[in-house]
Amino acid sequence: MKLIFLGAPGAGKGTHATKVKADYALPHISTGDIFRANLKEGTPLGLKAKGYMDKGELVPDELVIDLVKDRLTWPDCQNGYILDGFPRTIKQAEALDSFQDIDAVINLVLDDETIIRRVSGRRMCSCGATYNVELLGGKTTCEKCGKELYQREDDKGDTVRTRLEVYNRDTAPLIAYYRNKNLLTDIDCNGKSIDEVYQAICNELDKI
Ligand code: AP5
């Protein structure tokens, strides 16, 4: 299955892609994670992306498209993959169409107020685990590995609102783009637990 997870920042793309990866044995390709890993290693790509990411702006299309095109040629993508955070512009979607056929687009729908609360409350661990302060009960360390949790730079202050504006301006048009191709399924995430959202996603994936 070749899948795209679409949704605003904090809608739950990473949370649910991680679960699909485990249950459906598909690689989870998050362009945000790739940029953050490059930044951590201090690569030229990471350093170029940092300025855009810290401001909540999109990294230029030309930097992202070639990166994904190359990643999808890796052997682990032969039987499919989950794209999380790509495409994010019509130009990226058109580029993807030129080298891949997508089976389904899962669009996670969540209201703006909840998005801002979730992103501002997100805490990360360097092992890859993600938490939310509202569910941590005051704990500041990772349940899986015990390391201290931290907040992503772009989850702080006004950057969250900028990311939402950028999403509405540049990425939301992809909803109509994929709906017109009969590939898009909306998953309403409002008022739903992670397990409830995941069950709704699995119900859709099991039809493919
Ligand atoms: P990226 O890392 O892709 O960030 P994003 O799209 O803003 O998405 P997030 O990671 O913030 O959210 P998510 O939907 O994965 O939510 P999560 O599952 O963590 O991109 C970062 C930056 O990189 C971009 O701003 C841009 O600069 C650059 N970039 C990346 N790709 C690019 C591209 N293609 N083109 C150009 N630039 C690009 O969930 C959020 C929180 O909510 C978590 O704490 C989670 O535990 C909690 N949660 C989830 N679901 C539920 C639920 N049902 N109930 C309660 N809590 C929940």
Side-chain angles (χ1 to χ4, degrees), residues 8-16 31-32 35-36 52-53 56-59 64 85-86 88 92 118 122 130-132 152 154 163 192-194 197:
K13 302 181 295 295
T15 301
H16 295 98
T31 40
F35 288 133
R36 280 185 288 276
Y52 299 99
M53 293 175 78
E57 297 289 344
L58 294 184
V59 174
V64 191
F86 182 92
R88 246 181 163 98
Q92 292 179 18
R118 278 198 197 160
R122 175 167 47 192
T130 303
Y131 300 90
N132 199 287
R152 255 167 61 173
D154 63 346
R163 284 164 62 200
K192 304 234 171 72
S193 69
I194 291 174
V197 172

Side-chain angles (χ1 to χ4, degrees), residues 95-172:
L96 180 64
D97 282 346
S98 72
F99 54 82
Q100 291 284 316
D101 286 321
I102 294 298
D103 294 311
V105 179
I106 300 292
N107 181 35
L108 302 178
V109 181
L110 191 63
D111 66 64
D112 285 4
E113 202 183 306
T114 313
I115 283 169
I116 290 176
R117 208 180 65 235
R118 278 198 197 160
V119 176
S120 308
R122 175 167 47 192
R123 295 295 179 270
M124 315 286 297
C125 179
S126 55
C127 76
T130 303
Y131 300 90
N132 199 287
V133 276
E134 290 176 23
L135 306 174
L136 275 169
K139 278 193 223 141
T140 60
T141 52
C142 178
E143 276 174 14
K144 292 183 183 157
C145 71
K147 283 193 207 135
E148 199 63 30
L149 301 177
Y150 66 94
Q151 190 174 21
R152 255 167 61 173
E153 271 315 306
D154 63 346
D155 283 353
K156 295 178 185 171
D158 288 345
T159 310
V160 178
R161 283 192 188 277
T162 306
R163 284 164 62 200
L164 196 50
E165 282 165 19
V166 169
Y167 166 80
N168 284 321
R169 185 190 67 207
D170 295 337
T171 308

